[in-house]
Amino acid sequence: MLDNQLDNHSAEDSNTRNQIAQLTAMNQFLSRLVAAALEFDVFMKELATSIIHYVRCDRAILLLADNQESALEFGYSNYQLPSPERQTELNALRLPLYQADHDPLLDAWLMGEAVMIQTDLVSPSSTGGWLARFIQSNQFFSAPFIHDGHLIGVVIVDNPISDLPLTAEHQAALLALTAQAAVLLYNVQAHQRIVHKLADSVTEMSILRRIDRELSDTIDLRHVFQMTLDWALRFTNAQAASIALYNQEQDELRFVAEYGYDISDEQLATLRQEYGPGIALRVARAGHAEIVPDVSMDKDFVPIASSTRSQVAVPVMREDRVVAVITVESKRLNGFSEQNLDFIEKLATRAGVAIDNARLYDEAVREREKLSLILSNTADIVMAVDLDDRLILLNQSALAALHLYLNESYVGLTIFDAIDHTPLLDTYRRAKALGENLAEEVPLPNGRVFHTNMQFNPSLGWIIVMHDITPFKEMDKLKSELIATVSHDLKQPLSVMNGYIELLLMQQAVSSQGMHAVQMIRRSIQSMRQLIDDLLDLAKIESGIQLNLQPIQINTVVTDCIDSLRPAAQNKSMTIVSETDNSLPPVTGDYARLRQILMNLINNAVKYTPPEGQVNVRAEKRGNMLRVAVQDNGLGISPEDQIHIFDRFYRVRRPETDSIEGTGLGLAIVKSLVEAHRGQISVESTLGRGSTFYLTLPLAEEMPHNSHET
């Protein structure tokens, strides 16, 4: 009896000692794992070593779930397979979990259940049978690591060296360990992900800084394309990439750079022409990036490379518009992660700036070369002077005309230092003093006369364009001399003809038919005399006339003209209305010449307005000028005729105007007289709705001189 009691106590003490030993071993096991928790590789090695020691087995193989929990991948093993090739295969082991419900072993792991596999009791085609053959084991026991109901890993233990069976004690020990180690494994994996993410972020930032430097150092568009593709392939470990520029107006892509395809550019172009731009065009239209994990499932995919399994396409944006699309292809299914996409999008942002800068630079270079070619081959003088009076542009014609040295650079010099020997400098000073655009004729040292136009640009300075008008001046002088000579010579025969007609009428009776002929002759003589007078008047004005300038009330001139033309208007049942009065400020002018100007304009309005029409004359003050408008509701003037309406001898030729007499010199004389008064004249007209001629003259206080010669 006593012996039995002693035996029972001895057994209880033994169990207690075993439990204490197990708890001690478990505590030591967990302590070692906690100490190694910050180093993932150290932790995995310590976990496998502790399992082997605690469970008393020969080998432990750790499998870990990937980030998406879509597969189990090899994590660590303390035991190397005899064959290096098989060990390499083990290191690359990956067991997909998305079809786990069709496999007992995977399904059990996902449910958190441990599984014993004996090769002679399982189907060779099952995952358990295949895995036993793969790790060359007749029997293994596996237990999952479960955290918050999710499978995070699996441990497999067996005895390939001792070939001892795995007992219930082994299994219980392993289950106890996995339950305790699951939380630590989860935390280590989370820590590793954070460390990797930080490391990836640092690496990515370093890469992006390098990309920024490289892209900012180049303005070669092709180099930008190649560099962008190179970095996209490097970061994603993909096989091929391309860039296509997008034309939003025409909705088309133009592939400008491709890398990694094993076919020629001609074959690439043929395939794209046959199949179209594919996924890239869809992304360009949508303006959003796409990851295509399996290209065989996408109807828009273009099979340029037969080995492509997945693709990512990212739009390159500039100011909310798509300018290009970057496409990257991989040989692996689901070969691109969100991290890859994020990097390519950041790359696309930088590429967009670089592409835009390079494109703008190319355009600027082309425009500069084009401008240089045009300027070097134009006969006109072209110069540009900045806001500090420094020359920023001179073409070849300027160097020759201004007698400057062809082999010296004048860019950067002040205009005062460069052309101080020419009258052009006086014109420049005058334009600057007035602070407005200026156009006038300037003689240069080469004996030529140039029409000079100085235009001011607030952001650039002064743009000077000079056109050689010497041949026109010489021709105009010859023409004026010819007109003056011929006109004087023509006046005498006309006077003789008119005198003999008068003598004929005094000495002989003329029939009614003869009287009609006489009247026609008189009329023709009068028309010829008017033409000669106009020619002489125009020649006198253009050669320089003395104006008797004084303050003139424009209302007085308008009233005088209307009174003279009222009979002609009444013959056509027309009315002439004056909207001017004495409240308007006076202008400085020559009364006779102002009357000539307004008589011509109002008379033309009466002549070219159908019966029962109306002519309005109005005036208003505008700044330091007085503007007079002569408006009719007559035939109107076409745009092509308006361009030449102030040219000498130009007449509007339309069926409605064939019966209206005129020399074609009236408006040319008006324009010359207006400019002699330092004024301007213009016209606005619409066919069938009438015309308005605008005359602007300086106010009296702006021109205090008593006389002026032009």
Side-chain angles (χ1 to χ4, degrees):
M1 185 72 173
L2 182 58
D3 291 338
N4 290 336
Q5 288 178 350
L6 289 173
D7 290 339
N8 289 336
H9 282 298
S10 177
E12 289 177 1
D13 290 342
S14 176
N15 288 336
T16 300
R17 284 194 299 272
N18 287 337
Q19 290 176 359
I20 292 173
Q22 288 177 354
L23 290 173
T24 302
M26 179 69 74
N27 185 56
Q28 293 173 349
F29 164 75
L30 294 175
S31 298
R32 287 195 299 270
L33 291 183
V34 170
L38 293 180
E39 294 290 338
F40 182 77
D41 292 338
V42 174
F43 176 84
M44 294 297 288
K45 180 179 181 181
E46 188 62 41
L47 178 59
T49 302
S50 298
I51 289 173
I52 292 169
H53 177 75
Y54 189 78
V55 179
R56 293 185 177 86
C57 60
D58 295 341
R59 175 171 63 176
I61 299 174
L62 298 175
L63 305 178
L64 301 177
D66 61 14
N67 292 337
Q68 288 78 33
E69 301 179 21
S70 60
L72 286 169
E73 300 174 333
F74 175 77
Y76 183 81
S77 176
N78 69 303
Y79 180 84
Q80 296 289 319
L81 292 176
S83 167
E85 292 79 10
R86 296 303 301 276
Q87 184 61 43
T88 301
E89 292 177 5
L90 176 61
N91 294 342
L93 177 65
R94 182 179 175 85
L95 299 176
L97 295 174
Y98 52 83
Q99 292 183 333
D101 55 339
H102 298 291
D103 186 271
L105 178 61
L106 298 178
D107 187 50
W109 287 345
L110 288 170
M111 298 295 292
E113 299 173 0
V115 179
M116 170 68 78
I117 295 294
Q118 290 182 255
T119 54
D120 56 348
L121 298 179
V122 297
S123 170
S125 61
S126 66
T127 301
W130 174 85
L131 188 56
R133 291 194 307 277
F134 184 81
I135 63 175
Q136 299 178 349
S137 177
N138 295 324
Q139 179 191 55
F140 68 79
F141 182 67
S142 62
F145 294 99
I146 302 294
H147 183 270
D148 286 342
H150 295 282
L151 177 68
I152 61 172
V154 172
V155 58
I156 297 172
V157 296
D158 63 352
N159 291 316
I161 300 173
S162 63
D163 201 26
L164 294 173
L166 296 171
T167 65
E169 184 180 355
H170 292 114
Q171 297 175 32
L174 183 61
L175 290 175
L177 283 177
T178 55
Q180 296 296 325
V183 174
L184 284 174
L185 178 59
Y186 175 80
N187 291 335
V188 169
Q189 286 181 306
H191 176 73
Q192 185 199 30
R193 283 194 292 269
I194 292 172
V195 169
H196 283 177
K197 189 173 182 179
L198 288 173
D200 290 343
S201 296
V202 172
T203 302
E204 182 180 297
M205 289 174 62
S206 175
I207 291 173
L208 290 174
R209 280 197 299 271
R210 181 177 173 185
I211 292 172
D212 288 337
R213 287 195 302 271
E214 292 182 3
L215 288 177
S216 63
D217 287 343
T218 182
I219 48 177
D220 181 356
L221 200 53
R222 182 161 294 279
H223 191 196
V224 170
F225 294 151
Q226 292 174 344
M227 192 182 304
T228 301
L229 295 185
D230 180 53
W231 279 110
L233 291 174
R234 275 200 238 175
F235 194 85
T236 60
N237 293 320
Q239 66 176 31
S242 64
I243 289 182
L245 298 180
Y246 180 56
N247 186 319
Q248 193 167 11
E249 288 73 24
Q250 299 178 6
D251 189 33
E252 65 179 18
L253 287 173
R254 179 170 63 89
F255 286 85
V256 293
E258 293 171 300
Y259 187 84
Y261 298 105
D262 54 0
I263 58 177
S264 66
D265 293 342
E266 292 76 14
Q267 290 173 308
L268 273 170
T270 301
L271 284 172
R272 295 198 188 284
Q273 187 174 8
E274 179 180 353
Y275 290 101
I279 297 170
L281 181 59
R282 188 174 74 205
V283 167
R285 288 170 175 168
H288 301 293
E290 284 190 35
I291 294 179
V292 182
D294 185 352
V295 293
S296 64
M297 305 296 291
D298 196 304
K299 61 181 178 60
D300 292 329
F301 172 67
V302 178
I304 301 295
S306 59
S307 59
T308 298
R309 294 292 176 267
S310 58
Q311 187 181 85
V312 61
V314 176
V316 179
M317 310 292 294
R318 284 300 290 159
E319 298 177 354
D320 297 329
R321 61 186 177 87
V322 179
V323 297
V325 176
I326 300 174
T327 304
V328 185
E329 299 181 4
S330 173
K331 295 180 180 180
R332 296 181 293 116
L333 284 173
N334 198 21
F336 298 100
S337 64
E338 290 296 330
Q339 184 183 8
N340 295 148
L341 176 61
D342 181 65
F343 177 81
I344 298 175
E345 286 180 332
K346 292 175 181 176
L347 182 62
T349 300
R350 287 157 173 79
V353 176
I355 289 171
D356 219 26
N357 290 342
R359 179 182 58 80
L360 290 173
Y361 178 79
D362 282 351
E363 290 178 0
V365 168
R366 285 195 298 271
E367 289 301 319
R368 187 162 57 247
E369 291 174 349
K370 188 190 303 180
L371 177 62
S372 177
L373 185 62
I374 293 171
L375 292 178
S376 63
N377 288 279
T378 184
D380 287 349
I381 295 173
V382 180
M383 303 169 61
V385 184
D386 66 15
L387 299 174
D388 296 324
D389 301 317
R390 296 189 178 277
L391 290 167
I392 55 177
L393 174 69
L394 275 88
N395 69 342
Q396 292 293 314
S397 296
L399 295 174
L402 296 170
H403 285 186
L404 300 176
Y405 294 103
L406 299 178
N407 58 349
E408 287 191 17
S409 175
Y410 293 89
V411 174
L413 294 178
T414 67
I415 190 172
F416 307 110
D417 295 332
I419 60 169
D420 59 345
H421 59 289
T422 70
L424 178 61
L425 198 57
D426 295 332
T427 305
Y428 178 76
R429 287 195 177 101
R430 196 157 45 252
K432 283 201 69 176
L434 293 172
E436 59 184 27
N437 300 337
L438 183 65
E440 60 181 47
E441 296 175 5
V442 177
L444 289 186
N446 61 359
R448 314 291 289 182
V449 179
F450 287 80
H451 179 270
T452 303
N453 194 323
M454 293 193 175
Q455 298 280 336
F456 180 70
N457 184 297
S459 60
L460 176 64
W462 292 90
I463 300 171
I464 305 171
V465 179
M466 305 175 67
H467 180 69
D468 189 354
I469 58 171
T470 307
F472 301 103
K473 297 292 288 184
E474 293 172 348
M475 187 183 302
D476 200 50
K477 182 180 179 182
L478 291 173
K479 179 204 66 180
S480 297
E481 292 174 354
L482 175 64
I483 289 175
T485 302
V486 172
S487 299
H488 280 290
D489 291 344
L490 286 175
K491 278 191 120 179
Q492 185 178 2
L494 289 176
S495 298
V496 173
M497 291 167 62
N498 194 58
Y500 275 105
I501 289 175
E502 295 296 333
L503 184 61
L504 177 66
L505 292 175
M506 290 172 58
Q507 293 181 351
Q508 295 186 12
V510 180
S511 64
S512 60
Q513 186 176 359
M515 184 58 71
H516 176 71
V518 168
Q519 294 298 330
M520 293 298 293
I521 294 172
R522 279 179 168 174
R523 202 164 156 188
S524 296
I525 291 173
Q526 182 61 34
S527 296
M528 181 68 75
R529 182 171 288 164
Q530 182 63 50
L531 176 59
I532 293 170
D533 288 342
D534 286 346
L535 287 171
L536 289 172
D537 200 17
L538 186 60
K540 186 189 300 182
I541 294 169
E542 291 182 346
S543 63
I545 60 171
Q546 188 77 21
L547 295 177
N548 182 21
L549 298 178
Q550 55 186 342
I552 303 293
Q553 198 70 36
I554 201 68
N555 178 61
T556 305
V557 184
V558 172
T559 302
D560 187 1
C561 294
I562 291 176
D563 289 342
S564 300
L565 293 170
R566 184 167 282 113
Q570 289 174 347
N571 288 338
K572 297 179 67 175
S573 301
M574 292 178 57
T575 57
I576 306 177
V577 179
S578 172
E579 299 178 13
T580 62
D581 54 52
N582 289 327
S583 64
L584 293 169
V587 298
T588 297
D590 185 311
Y591 186 92
R593 292 301 184 176
L594 289 179
R595 185 179 187 279
Q596 184 179 357
I597 292 169
L598 288 168
M599 279 290 290
N600 193 298
L601 294 177
I602 300 173
N603 186 44
N604 280 351
V606 172
K607 285 198 301 182
Y608 289 97
T609 300
E612 300 182 0
Q614 181 172 313
V615 177
N616 282 44
V617 184
R618 60 182 183 274
E620 61 178 343
K621 180 179 180 296
R622 288 202 170 187
N624 60 354
M625 306 290 284
L626 186 74
R627 188 169 85 156
V628 182
V630 179
Q631 181 180 24
D632 64 63
N633 57 355
L635 301 176
I637 307 169
S638 67
E640 56 269 25
D641 287 326
Q642 291 179 39
I643 300 172
H644 305 286
I645 199 69
F646 296 104
D647 294 348
R648 282 168 287 191
F649 302 107
Y650 186 84
R651 293 195 65 202
V652 175
R653 299 297 180 183
R654 295 213 310 271
E656 303 93 324
T657 64
D658 287 344
S659 60
I660 301 175
E661 295 182 357
T663 63
L665 290 172
L667 289 178
I669 293 173
V670 166
K671 184 174 185 293
S672 296
L673 287 174
V674 170
E675 291 175 349
H677 282 81
R678 295 292 189 264
Q680 292 180 335
I681 188 168
S682 61
V683 63
E684 290 180 1
S685 185
T686 304
L687 281 175
R689 299 180 61 181
S691 306
T692 303
F693 284 83
Y694 294 101
L695 167 68
T696 57
L697 297 167
L699 297 177
E701 58 267 26
E702 301 296 331
M703 233 174 143
H705 306 80
N706 292 326
S707 65
H708 173 69
E709 183 178 331
T710 182

